[in-house]
Amino acid sequence: MTHTSRPAVGFIGLGIMGRPMAGHILKGGHPLTVYNRTRSKTAELQALGAAVADSPAGVAARSEILIIMVSDTQDVEQVVAGPQGVLEGIRPGSVVVDMSTIAPGTERALDEALRARGAFLIDAPVSGGDVGARDASLAIMAGGDRKAFELVRPVLALLGRTITYCGPSGSGQLAKLCNQILVSVTLLGVSEALVFARKCGLDPSVMIEAVSGGAAQSWQLTNLGPRIIKRDFAPGFMVDLVQKDLRLVLESCASADVSLPATGLVHQLFGSARAHGSGREGTPSLAKVLERLSGLE
Ligand code: NAP
């Protein structure tokens, strides 16, 4: 398994995350072919020099490294194994890198299907949000064949600052689910502190400034706390997507007899956010659920 010095890269899924990530690959000097279900989202990258394919199979046929960044487990299954999918176009020696957050078991099954065609799947979900995608500062957590991972590492380095090989297929997704437990439960703490400050008469901005240099500092507090204060609930990372991730955590809990009470609670509270019409807002809208519980507007 060897690749050319600037391997041809394919990119499937040009959403909030995928569009800036594909741009970094183009800037890195790789020939790039893109596919997006809604074709209009390819125009910007096409203007910058990317080729546009009509199907995932069409991207796979032109790519040594193929990145996928779509929404959920069934979407990756459809893109890889569905009609006109990646499996129909993939060439032996190619490496598919799925950077979506999906079920670890599905990554293992798709890796096997690709290996049957002489290719590999690396699961490489990310953390760092829309800001990390734009700044190429994502944390990338990878699982799968080690040699295939080393082949794609230089391309991943165009997208992120921390790249960690976590183990065999599915391990990247397991690390990402741990990440989602951490960020969601932390955001609940941030939301509670903000409600407490407001109700008890402390300026929330002063509270963030006062505690951010101490033991309570976190990405959620310094990045999302100010958005909550400004009432900026634009995504970012959508409530619908975090609910998908927490669902994946809770499904894994059920099959492995793990009990995570705080994760279960925050999943219920995000459910309330959806019930109040915030599904397509950013995760800071969790704060609105806590505000309602305490009678704040
Ligand atoms: P998004 O803006 O909703 O984009 C989703 C992309 O997937 C779109 O290009 C969409 O195509 C495509 N897609 C969805 N289902 C598809 C299907 N069945 N077939 C083909 N294409 C399909 O989502 P995002 O925020 O970029 O998130 C993408 C992934 O990254 C998710 O797994 C998410 O959990 C993860 N993630 C997101 C963030 C964040 O802050 N946003 C952070 C870390 C990880 P259309 O344009 O046609 O809809």
Side-chain angles (χ1 to χ4, degrees):
M1 195 177 17
T2 49
H3 284 169
T4 48
S5 65
R6 285 264 162 70
V9 176
F11 208 108
I12 296 174
L14 304 172
I16 289 178
M17 299 294 285
R19 213 173 335 177
M21 291 164 73
H24 296 313
I25 289 177
L26 209 49
K27 273 186 233 135
H30 291 267
L32 180 71
T33 306
V34 297
Y35 167 81
N36 196 68
R37 184 178 56 183
T38 308
R39 197 181 170 107
S40 55
K41 291 188 194 167
T42 61
E44 194 184 309
L45 286 157
Q46 190 172 27
L48 293 170
V52 178
D54 290 330
S55 66
V59 183
R62 299 175 60 133
S63 309
E64 292 163 90
I65 295 172
L66 173 52
I67 298 176
I68 300 173
M69 194 53 162
V70 297
S71 305
D72 204 344
T73 305
Q74 69 273 12
D75 303 312
V76 175
E77 280 172 329
Q78 194 182 343
V79 160
V80 176
Q84 296 277 296
V86 168
L87 283 171
E88 291 182 19
I90 197 81
R91 298 182 301 189
S94 295
V95 182
V96 178
V97 185
D98 179 23
M99 304 191 79
S100 330
T101 306
I102 68 157
T106 300
E107 299 288 29
R108 292 181 205 118
L110 294 176
D111 184 36
E112 292 218 344
L114 281 157
R115 282 181 196 237
R117 284 163 205 254
F120 289 92
L121 180 82
I122 298 296
D123 52 297
V126 305
S127 175
D130 55 325
V131 180
R134 284 198 301 274
D135 299 351
S137 63
L138 294 167
I140 301 172
M141 315 157 205
D145 180 84
R146 180 96 207 210
K147 283 198 188 118
F149 165 72
E150 294 302 342
L151 267 181
V152 301
R153 190 197 275 272
V155 170
L156 297 182
L158 298 171
L159 306 175
R161 278 197 207 124
T162 318
I163 303 166
T164 309
Y165 178 74
C166 301
S169 182
S171 304
Q173 295 294 350
L174 290 173
K176 169 68 182 182
L177 294 185
C178 292
N179 183 83
Q180 296 310 77
I181 295 167
L182 288 161
V183 296
S184 302
V185 175
T186 305
L187 182 59
L188 178 56
V190 169
S191 302
E192 289 200 354
L194 286 168
V195 167
F196 181 79
R198 273 180 69 193
K199 284 284 279 196
C200 297
L202 172 65
D203 182 335
S205 301
V206 172
M207 183 275 286
I208 292 177
E209 192 187 333
V211 307
S212 290
Q217 65 179 260
S218 71
W219 190 98
Q220 299 292 310
L221 181 65
T222 48
N223 287 279
L224 302 189
R227 289 197 203 180
I228 292 168
I229 292 170
K230 278 189 280 172
R231 315 314 280 167
D232 173 7
F233 298 110
F237 187 53
M238 271 183 244
V239 169
D240 283 347
L241 285 179
V242 78
Q243 279 298 73
K244 178 255 304 179
D245 294 354
L246 294 178
R247 188 199 77 225
L248 294 171
V249 174
L250 296 174
E251 282 168 5
S252 294
C253 282
S255 55
D257 282 339
V258 184
S259 178
L260 303 181
T263 305
L265 173 63
V266 78
H267 181 65
Q268 289 293 315
L269 293 170
F270 273 123
S272 170
R274 291 185 73 181
H276 283 85
S278 297
R280 298 191 67 78
E281 291 182 350
T283 53
S285 63
L286 178 66
K288 292 195 271 186
V289 177
L290 275 295
E291 288 163 7
R292 278 191 289 268
L293 287 177
S294 290
L296 281 173
E297 285 301 309

